[in-house]
């Protein structure tokens, strides 16, 4: 069945929806404006209030909110970000969207980002030398390289994927929204789902013409109502808000910290390294997982390193 292109392919609509949703989140009290008694027709700031706070005309802000942001100066974008109380991720997303749109309303194609799913051999060596779970993902969230511990940690994605989710490169987004087991695996599923979609939204702003990312968004929007609802919120975020907690089917609950690091040698790729608190039950759980992985997921077992083919 063919899928409709995702809404994120429309540059002007992206800017319009982002500014509209951010404006609705800011009340007059939050920015020190007087509140006049009576009914307000909008939940947040009015357009004229945003224009006043940003130091631009109402007509100009209205044009921006309609998606006509091509050519907007850095000063104007920074003023808008301040008026709308944007955080660092939201501020960058606004800049990315404004820089991506052309005067005709089309998305400006980015150059220089990695589209391949291949990683260098020495990158794999680094992953294999790490005793903790470690992986590399691309801008679409596909895990393109992992070590044995990462495959053991995400057991359902790498060792026992369901046919509806199995793919050449496992995807956290597909697992989260298309595999019902993810709700047991992640005790804080709702927060994790919100964070994941917000990070995908940020990636889409950085490279709105990435065909793999757009295909993923279109697929999930079609197959998951929950994803579509979260996508429509236009939230953006750099990283998850809390530690990652998993209910592992073999060793039980693990509380993980993790750090995503952009790879300078491969633009568009991110390396993830996980850890646990020393001396904690989670450290013992990882030790047990390592013992299990050493026998069940040996590094030379290439079949175990790849997801199962759909039956």
């Amino acid at each position: 069945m063919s899928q409709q292109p995702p809404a994120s392919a429309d540059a002007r609509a992206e800017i319009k929806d982002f500014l509209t949703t951010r404006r609705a989140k800011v009340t007059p009290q939050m920015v020190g404006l007087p509140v006049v008694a009576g009914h307000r027709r909008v939940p947040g700031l009015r357009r004229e209030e945003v224009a006043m706070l940003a130091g631009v005309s109402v007509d100009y802000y209205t044009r921006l909110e309609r998606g006509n942001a091509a050519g907007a100066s850095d000063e104007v974008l920074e003023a808008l970000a301040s008026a709308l109380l944007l955080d660092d991720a939201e501020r960058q997303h606004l800049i990315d969207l404004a820089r991506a749109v052309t005067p005709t309303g089309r998305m400006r194609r980015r150059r220089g980002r990695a589209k391949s799913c291949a990683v260098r051999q020495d990158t794999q060596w680094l992953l294999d030398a790490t005793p903790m779970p470690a992986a590399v993902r691309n801008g679409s969230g596909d895990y393109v390289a992992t070590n044995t511990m990462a495959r053991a940690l995400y057991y359902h994605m790498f060792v026992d994927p369901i046919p509806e989710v199995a793919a050449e490169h496992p995807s956290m987004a597909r697992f989260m929204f298309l595999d019902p087991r993810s709700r047991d695996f992640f005790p804080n599923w709702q927060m994790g789902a919100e964070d994941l979609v917000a990070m995908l939204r940020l990636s889409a702003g950085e490279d709105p013409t990435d065909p793999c990312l757009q295909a993923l968004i279109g697929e999930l929007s079609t197959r998951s109502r929950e994803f579509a609802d979260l996508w429509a919120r236009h939230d953006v975020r750099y990283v998850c808000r809390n530690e990652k907690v998993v209910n592992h089917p073999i060793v039980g609950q693990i509380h993980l910290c993790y750090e995503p690091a952009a790879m300078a040698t491969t633009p568009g790729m991110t390396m993830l390294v996980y850890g646990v608190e020393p001396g904690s039950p989670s450290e013992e759980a990882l030790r047990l997982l390592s013992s299990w992985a050493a026998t069940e997921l040996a590094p030379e077992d290439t079949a175990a390193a790849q997801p199962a083919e759909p039956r």
Side-chain angles (χ1 to χ4, degrees):
M1 182 177 66
S2 62
Q3 296 175 341
Q4 295 297 319
S8 55
D10 185 335
R12 288 180 174 171
E14 278 292 282
I15 296 171
K16 173 183 178 294
D17 291 342
F18 181 67
L19 288 176
T20 301
T21 55
R22 297 316 93 178
R23 179 164 62 88
K25 288 176 174 287
V26 182
T27 65
Q29 296 94 324
M30 293 168 65
V31 292
L33 292 178
V35 180
V36 180
H39 178 67
R40 291 176 62 92
R41 293 183 300 169
V42 294
L45 295 178
R46 300 186 178 100
R47 285 178 175 173
E48 56 267 28
E49 291 170 332
V50 176
M52 180 191 68
L53 291 167
V56 299
S57 70
V58 177
D59 287 343
Y60 183 61
Y61 175 73
T62 300
R63 291 199 300 273
L64 290 175
E65 197 175 274
R66 288 173 178 168
N68 299 316
S73 68
D74 291 341
E75 291 77 8
V76 167
L77 296 176
E78 288 293 336
L80 277 181
S82 296
L84 294 170
L85 304 181
L86 303 187
D87 62 22
D88 290 343
E90 293 170 322
R91 187 183 301 259
Q92 186 58 53
H93 188 59
L94 175 61
I95 293 171
D96 287 339
L97 292 177
R99 296 293 173 259
V101 66
T102 68
T104 60
R106 297 178 180 274
M107 283 291 192
R108 183 175 285 109
R109 187 170 297 277
R110 289 286 183 90
R111 296 180 180 179
R113 285 190 57 140
K115 303 299 181 187
S116 171
C117 286
V119 297
R120 304 191 321 272
Q121 186 179 35
D122 54 353
T123 299
Q124 186 62 56
W125 294 342
L126 288 172
L127 296 177
D128 291 338
T130 304
M132 290 293 183
V136 173
R137 72 183 182 204
N138 60 17
S140 303
D142 299 324
Y143 285 77
V144 299
T146 57
N147 65 5
T148 302
M149 281 297 289
R151 294 192 294 275
L153 176 65
Y154 291 127
Y155 177 90
H156 293 312
M157 290 171 56
F158 290 93
V159 183
D160 185 31
I162 63 174
E164 294 82 0
V165 181
E168 180 182 1
H169 297 290
S171 162
M172 181 60 72
R174 289 190 178 92
F175 173 65
M176 181 77 77
F177 289 99
L178 303 181
D179 190 330
R181 298 174 300 178
S182 68
R183 296 176 185 273
D184 292 328
F185 188 77
F186 293 115
N188 302 322
W189 185 92
Q190 184 62 38
M191 180 179 292
E194 292 172 359
D195 288 345
L196 190 151
V197 174
M199 289 185 283
L200 278 180
R201 173 68 78 175
L202 192 64
S203 293
E206 292 172 353
D207 192 0
T209 58
D210 182 343
C212 294
L213 182 54
Q214 294 304 321
L216 174 66
I217 295 167
E219 175 191 354
L220 294 178
S221 296
T222 302
R223 299 178 64 183
S224 170
R225 175 62 182 271
E226 289 167 308
F227 176 88
D229 289 344
L230 289 174
W231 188 255
R233 286 163 49 169
H234 286 263
D235 292 336
V236 292
R237 196 166 293 119
Y238 280 132
V239 295
C240 294
R241 291 168 288 181
N242 252 320
E243 66 177 356
K244 188 180 292 289
V245 183
V246 303
N247 281 328
H248 198 277
I250 296 171
V251 299
Q253 191 167 103
I254 310 174
H255 292 247
L256 296 152
C257 60
Y258 83 107
E259 181 63 33
M263 297 178 61
T265 57
T266 315
M269 297 287 192
T270 300
M271 183 174 289
L272 304 170
V273 180
Y274 297 80
V276 292
E277 180 183 354
S280 67
S282 293
E283 184 180 50
E284 175 62 15
L286 272 193
R287 188 188 66 78
L288 294 174
L289 186 63
S290 178
S291 297
W292 176 85
T295 57
E296 301 296 328
L297 297 180
E300 63 271 16
D301 185 358
T302 55
Q306 299 296 328
E309 291 295 328
R311 294 185 291 274

